[in-house]
Amino acid sequence: AAFALSRYYNVNLVIGSEELKNCPITSTFKNKSLSAVLRILEASFGIQSKEEGDRIVLTGICEERRN
């Protein structure tokens, strides 16, 4: 998912935790900004995103949250 988001939004997304490397996120986002997508992932999967220079680092535990 991070690779696809990196390509689509032309940003450097980095997976910063081992738990996320195997996180099965299969979502489709239509007409959403990168910040909106990150907020959705944060709320849905317990993922945190942090800007660090020219990259965005994703961390967390990848637990699906049901609202």
Side-chain angles (χ1 to χ4, degrees):
F3 178 72
L5 290 173
S6 290
R7 271 195 3 212
Y8 185 81
Y9 290 103
N10 196 29
V11 296
N12 185 13
L13 284 178
V14 177
I15 303 296
S17 66
E18 287 298 316
E19 293 87 352
L20 288 184
K21 289 184 180 178
N22 297 313
C23 187
I25 297 174
T26 55
S27 300
T28 301
F29 303 99
K30 293 185 180 186
N31 302 316
K32 299 283 185 200
S33 67
L34 176 60
S35 62
V37 169
L38 293 174
R39 284 194 311 270
I40 292 166
L41 293 176
E42 289 168 358
S44 301
F45 294 97
I47 294 172
Q48 293 83 43
S49 63
K50 181 178 180 184
E51 262 187 75
E52 293 183 357
D54 66 342
R55 64 188 193 157
I56 298 172
V57 179
L58 303 176
T59 58
I61 58 172
C62 186
E63 73 176 1
E64 185 175 359
R65 297 179 177 173
R66 302 202 184 260
N67 296 329

